[in-house]
C-alpha cells in the first residue's frame, strides 16, 4: 500500500489545533462586528489575471508561488488558487458596484490562502488569514483604526508585546523620485550584487529593500530613505497617521525598509511581530494602503486600506496559553455496565437544553467509567443507578470530590448553576 499523507506544506488541523483556531476566529468575528466590518466571502480560486494585477506580476507570489488550476477541458490554466484575499475582494467590490454604497465599505474575511512556497516552520502552502479591508476612505484615521483592530486582536490572542513596524512608501507622485535615488545609489554597487538583486534593481527596485542578501542589506544601511522624498500630501498623511496612532496609544517601531513593492500600494505599510521575534517567518501579519488598486479592476480610482493576519503563526503563539481544549461539563455513568440506553438518553436530554454532556457508552464497570470521566476533564459525573426509578441520580462533583442526590428534573438547572459559579472562580478557562 502506498503511504498516504497530507500534501507537503499542508497540514491537518486536529481537534487540539482547531480549538485554538476557533477561539481566534470567534474573537476575529466579535472584533469585526465591534468595529463595524461585515463578513464577505469570495471564491477560493479566481481568474489568474486577478492576482497578476491585484498582487503584481514581479512578485514572488505571482512569479513563483501561484497555484495554477488545470481544468479537464484543457483551458490554458485560466484559474489560480488565491494567494491572498485583497485582490478577490477588490474584484468583488467593483463587480457588484459597491462604489454606490455608503463609503467606506468595511469588510472582513477568514479563510485559507495558497502559495507554492518552500515549506518550513511557520511557512505553509495552505495557510489561513484573517483579513480586514476598508475601501473608499483615503485616511489616515481609518489606517489607524484598522491597525488598532489588528493590534487588539493580537494582544487578546496572547502575543506578548505586539510590535507594530510602520513605514510610508509614498505614492505615484513622490515615489518615482525616491526610486530614482535608490537605483542611482544601488547601481553604483551593481557588480557586487547577486543575479536576483540585479533583476530586482532592473524590474522592481523597491523589492531590494526586503532583500535577504547580506551585501545588499549592508548597502541599504546608507541608502536614501523614502521619508526624505515624500510629497506634501504623503507627508500630511504620514504625520496624520502617527498622531492618530498616538491618540490610540499604539506604540510605533519605525521600519524604513518595510515595503510592499508594487506601484498601486501607497503610503501606509505595516507589519506585526512579537517583541524580539524578527526572523523571516515571524511576521504575524501585515497590511497597508492600496489607493491605486481598484482602478486596475476597471473602476474609478478609489482608496483602500487593509491587513491580513497569519492565523497559523498566531495560533502557534496562542497555543502556548493554557485552557484550549473544551471539556464536557458532565459525563453520564452508571452502575449497570449494560444500561447504555439510559445513559445515552440522559446525556441527550441534557444536550437538548444546551449542556455539554457526554455519556460513557462502553459496557464497563462503574469505577472504570468514573476514571474515564475524570480523564476527560469533566466537572461532574452523573451516576445512574437504582434511584432512577424515583427520578433521581447521584451527582458527583469530580473536582470537589463531593457527591449528593439530585432530581433528574432539576439536573440541567443545577449543573448550569454549579458550573457557571465554578467558571467564574476559575478565570473562565474551563
Ligand atoms: P503577506 O500577504 O505576505 O504580507 O502575508 C500576511 C501574513 O500572512 C504574514 O505576515 C504571515 O503571518 C502570513 N503568511 C504569509 N505567507 C504564509 C505562509 N506561506 N505560511 C503561513 N503564514 C503565512
Amino acid at each position: 500500500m502506498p503511504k498516504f499523507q497530507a500534501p507537503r506544506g499542508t497540514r491537518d488541523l486536529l481537534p487540539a489545533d482547531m480549538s485554538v483556531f476557533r477561539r481566534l476566529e470567534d474573537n476575529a468575528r466579535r472584533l469585526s462586528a465591534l468595529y463595524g466590518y461585515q463578513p464577505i466571502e469570495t471564491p477560493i480560486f479566481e481568474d489568474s489575471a486577478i492576482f497578476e494585477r491585484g498582487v503584481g506580476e514581479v512578485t514572488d507570489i505571482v512569479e513563483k508561488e501561484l497555484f495554477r488550476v488545470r481544468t479537464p477541458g484543457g483551458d490554458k490554466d485560466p484559474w489560480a488558487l488565491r494567494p491572498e484575499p485583497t485582490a478577490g475582494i477588490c474584484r468583488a467590490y467593483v463587480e457588484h458596484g459597491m462604489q454606490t454604497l455608503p463609503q467606506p465599505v468595511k469588510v472582513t474575511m477568514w479563510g485559507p490562502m495558497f502559495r507554492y512556497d518552500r515549506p518550513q516552520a511557520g511557512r505553509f502552502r495552505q495557510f489561513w488569514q484573517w483579513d480586514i479591508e476598508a475601501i473608499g476612505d483615503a485616511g489616515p484615521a481609518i489606517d489607524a483604526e484598522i491597525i488598532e483592530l489588528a493590534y487588539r486582536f493580537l494582544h487578546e490572542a496572547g502575543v506578548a508585546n505586539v510590535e507594530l513596524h510602520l513605514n510610508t512608501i509614498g505614492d505615484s507622485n513622490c515615489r518615482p523620485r525616491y526610486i530614482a535615488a535608490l537605483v542611482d545609489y544601488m547601481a553604483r554597487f551593481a557588480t557586487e550584487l547577486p543575479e536576483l538583486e540585479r533583476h530586482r534593481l532592473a524590474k522592481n527596485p523597491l523589492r531590494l529593500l526586503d532583500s535577504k542578501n547580506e551585501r545588499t542589506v549592508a548597502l541599504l544601511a546608507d541608502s536614501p530613505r523614502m521619508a526624505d522624498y515624500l510629497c506634501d500630501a504623503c507627508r500630511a498623511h504620514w504625520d496624520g497617521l502617527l498622531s492618530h496612532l498616538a491618540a490610540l496609544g499604539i506604540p510605533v517601531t519605525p521600519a524604513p525598509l518595510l515595503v510592499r513593492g508594487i506601484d498601486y500600494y501607497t503610503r501606509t505599510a505595516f507589519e506585526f511581530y512579537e517583541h524580539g521575534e524578527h526572523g523571516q517567518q515571524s511576521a504575524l501579519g501585515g497590511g497597508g494602503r492600496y489607493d491605486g488598486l481598484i482602478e486596475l479592476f476597471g473602476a474609478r480610482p478609489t482608496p483602500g486600506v487593509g491587513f491580513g493576519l497569519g492565523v497559523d503563526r498566531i495560533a502557534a503563539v496562542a497555543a502556548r496559553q493554557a485552557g484550549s481544549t473544551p471539556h464536557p461539563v458532565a459525563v453520564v455513568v452508571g452502575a449497570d455496565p449494560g444500561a447504555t440506553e439510559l445513559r445515552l438518553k440522559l446525556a441527550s436530554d441534557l444536550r437538548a437544553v444546551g449542556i455539554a454532556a457526554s455519556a460513557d457508552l462502553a459496557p464497563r464497570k462503574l469505577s472504570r467509567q468514573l476514571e474515564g470521566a475524570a480523564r476527560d476533564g469533566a466537572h461532574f459525573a452523573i451516576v445512574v443507578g437504582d434511584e432512577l426509578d424515583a427520578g433521581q441520580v447521584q451527582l458527583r462533583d469530580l473536582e470537589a470530590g463531593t457527591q449528593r442526590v439530585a432530581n433528574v428534573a432539576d439536573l440541567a438547572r443545577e449543573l448550569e448553576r454549579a458550573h457557571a459559579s465554578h467558571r467564574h472562580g476559575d478565570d473562565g478557562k474551563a
Side-chain angles (χ1 to χ4, degrees):
M1 272 293 272
K3 203 162 141 220
F4 291 110
Q5 291 181 318
R8 202 163 112 76
T10 71
R11 63 207 177 115
D12 301 306
L13 296 173
L14 301 179
D17 306 311
M18 279 308 293
S19 79
V20 180
F21 262 57
R22 272 290 152 80
R23 190 149 50 90
L24 294 174
E25 187 177 359
D26 288 348
N27 210 30
R29 282 204 189 153
R30 188 182 65 79
L31 288 172
S32 299
L34 205 59
Y35 281 69
Y37 288 75
Q38 311 276 341
I40 189 171
E41 197 70 65
T42 62
I44 279 177
F45 62 95
E46 298 263 3
D47 188 331
S48 322
I50 300 288
F51 305 122
E52 281 148 8
R53 287 183 177 213
V55 180
E57 291 196 73
V58 191
T59 56
D60 281 350
I61 292 183
V62 166
E63 279 183 326
K64 296 190 252 165
E65 298 170 7
L66 211 52
F67 266 96
R68 294 178 187 271
V69 177
R70 260 220 232 132
T71 53
D75 293 350
K76 232 173 90 292
D77 298 351
W79 296 314
L81 302 184
R82 64 184 182 200
E84 58 85 51
T86 310
I89 290 175
C90 288
R91 192 264 311 136
Y93 175 90
V94 173
E95 183 174 337
H96 302 285
M98 291 195 230
Q99 279 136 319
T100 60
L101 300 175
Q103 305 291 302
V105 170
K106 295 163 63 167
V107 291
T108 180
M109 196 161 90
W110 174 286
M113 306 296 150
F114 304 85
R115 294 183 195 173
Y116 193 75
D117 211 344
R118 196 163 55 80
Q120 51 190 285
R123 200 203 267 170
F124 304 98
R125 288 180 172 169
Q126 175 176 348
F127 60 97
W128 272 257
Q129 279 192 359
W130 175 39
D131 186 72
I132 281 278
E133 309 289 348
I135 307 177
D137 183 332
I142 192 93
D143 304 24
E145 177 179 276
I146 68 160
I147 287 173
E148 192 221 17
L149 171 52
Y151 196 87
R152 175 168 294 181
F153 176 81
L154 290 167
H155 177 75
E156 290 178 6
V159 178
N161 301 319
V162 183
E163 256 181 34
L164 164 65
H165 290 205
L166 187 66
N167 195 20
T168 174
I169 54 171
D171 66 6
S172 55
N173 234 332
C174 53
R175 199 184 310 132
R177 273 199 319 124
Y178 166 66
I179 292 178
L182 180 68
V183 169
D184 206 39
Y185 170 83
M186 290 306 271
R188 284 190 267 148
F189 307 99
T191 51
E192 300 174 40
L193 299 178
E195 176 67 34
L196 172 69
E197 308 300 357
R198 269 182 302 192
H199 173 74
R200 287 175 163 176
L201 184 59
K203 291 273 189 187
N204 192 350
L206 275 187
R207 292 208 41 223
L208 287 170
L209 300 192
D210 54 22
S211 169
K212 308 293 178 278
N213 172 258
E214 223 172 279
R215 182 63 189 137
T216 313
V217 172
L219 289 171
L220 284 170
D222 295 322
S223 66
R225 291 290 141 100
M226 185 69 230
D228 298 326
Y229 290 81
L230 294 177
C231 59
D232 290 347
C234 286
R235 161 74 49 203
H237 189 275
W238 177 240
D239 291 343
L241 174 56
L242 293 179
S243 68
H244 281 83
L245 288 171
L248 292 170
I250 308 276
V252 169
T253 304
L257 299 182
L258 172 61
V259 284
R260 314 216 119 207
I262 312 161
D263 282 352
Y264 44 77
Y265 284 116
T266 48
R267 299 180 176 168
T268 313
F270 55 88
E271 269 178 350
F272 292 98
Y273 291 86
E274 185 166 35
H275 179 67
E277 302 281 337
H278 297 158
Q280 258 188 61
Q281 261 65 252
S282 48
L284 298 174
R289 194 157 262 292
Y290 47 85
D291 293 348
L293 178 54
I294 293 280
E295 60 194 284
L296 293 186
F297 292 124
R300 65 166 186 271
T302 307
V305 66
F307 67 67
L309 298 190
V311 178
D312 304 73
R313 295 181 190 174
I314 298 166
V317 175
R320 300 201 302 248
Q321 290 190 316
S324 51
T325 339
H327 302 297
V329 173
V331 175
V332 184
V333 298
D336 174 1
T340 50
E341 282 171 18
L342 283 180
R343 302 204 283 279
L344 181 60
K345 175 73 169 81
L346 188 48
S348 173
D349 290 347
L350 289 170
R351 292 191 286 243
V353 293
I355 301 215
S358 61
D360 193 312
L361 298 176
R364 53 184 179 173
K365 285 201 309 214
L366 177 59
S367 57
R368 279 286 145 75
Q369 297 180 41
L370 283 168
E371 280 165 24
R375 209 171 30 240
D376 286 350
H379 187 179
F380 295 98
I382 297 162
V383 189
V384 181
D386 295 340
E387 306 96 327
L388 195 61
D389 294 338
Q392 293 184 320
V393 288
Q394 295 283 341
L395 183 60
R396 181 185 290 216
D397 186 326
L398 293 170
E399 287 169 17
T402 55
Q403 182 164 322
R404 63 189 169 79
V405 172
N407 288 319
V408 172
D410 303 332
L411 206 50
R413 206 165 348 111
E414 286 200 35
L415 284 171
E416 206 149 24
R417 195 172 339 108
H419 190 62
S421 70
H422 169 82
R423 233 182 352 211
H424 277 291
D426 188 46
D427 233 11
K429 277 191 192 144

